[in-house]
């Protein structure tokens, strides 16, 4: 089991920055993939960024150059630094973790409760 708790959401003006944090209940070394997704009202969740245990990252095209995913292994925390925010970035942002069992090979997905990010003047 993995518990994920997001924080850092809020209201920010267009062009501003915000850093989201995701506190993970176990060592992130044991997690195959960590990431961030977001969801607009009435829409499905969409990828923002992911980071594998190796450190390799993947970003949605619209976030490249503006958002940065990172982690602090000592704090078991994953971050999403968001810059040059636009009103269309307004969404609920979810922390995500994928764990692949070394015994069965089964993959398990975990989600945080989400944090609201609102970009508005």
């Amino acid at each position: 089991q993995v518990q994920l708790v997001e924080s850092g959401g809020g209201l920010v003006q267009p062009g501003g920055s915000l850093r989201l944090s995701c506190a993970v209940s176990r060592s992130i070394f044991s997690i195959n993939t960590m990431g961030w997704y977001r969801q607009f009202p009435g829409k499905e969740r969409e990828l923002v960024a992911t980071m594998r245990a190796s450190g390799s990252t993947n970003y949605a095209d619209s976030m490249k150059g503006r958002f940065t995913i990172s982690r602090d292994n000592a704090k078991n925390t994953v971050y999403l630094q968001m810059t040059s925010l636009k009103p269309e970035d307004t969404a609920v942002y979810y922390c995500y973790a994928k764990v692949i069992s070394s015994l069965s090979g089964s993959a398990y997905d975990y989600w945080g409760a989400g944090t609201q990010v609102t970009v508005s003047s």
Side-chain angles (χ1 to χ4, degrees):
Q1 283 286 344
V2 179
Q3 282 77 48
L4 307 171
V5 179
E6 303 99 335
S7 61
L11 175 64
V12 62
Q13 292 188 340
S17 300
L18 209 57
R19 189 178 77 161
L20 304 182
S21 300
C22 174
V24 186
S25 63
R26 61 190 254 190
S27 171
I28 57 178
F29 283 118
S30 66
I31 298 175
N32 298 86
T33 303
M34 295 289 312
W36 293 92
Y37 284 70
R38 67 185 185 183
Q39 188 169 23
F40 305 108
K43 302 287 187 180
E44 293 188 357
R45 289 179 192 178
E46 64 175 33
L47 170 72
V48 174
T50 59
M51 175 180 278
R52 293 192 171 186
S54 64
S56 64
T57 57
N58 180 50
Y59 294 90
D61 287 343
S62 63
M63 267 67 87
K64 288 180 181 177
R66 297 193 301 127
F67 292 6
T68 303
I69 187 171
S70 63
R71 68 190 183 198
D72 185 328
N73 296 330
K75 295 182 178 179
N76 291 333
T77 300
V78 178
Y79 303 99
L80 183 69
Q81 179 69 49
M82 303 184 292
T83 63
S84 302
L85 282 163
K86 308 172 183 179
E88 50 264 42
D89 293 317
T90 296
V92 178
Y93 286 71
Y94 294 91
C95 184
Y96 163 79
K98 172 178 280 187
V99 177
I100 299 176
S101 170
S102 58
L103 295 177
S104 67
S106 298
Y108 300 89
D109 293 335
Y110 300 92
W111 296 92
T115 186
Q116 176 70 45
V117 172
T118 302
V119 185
S120 175
S121 56

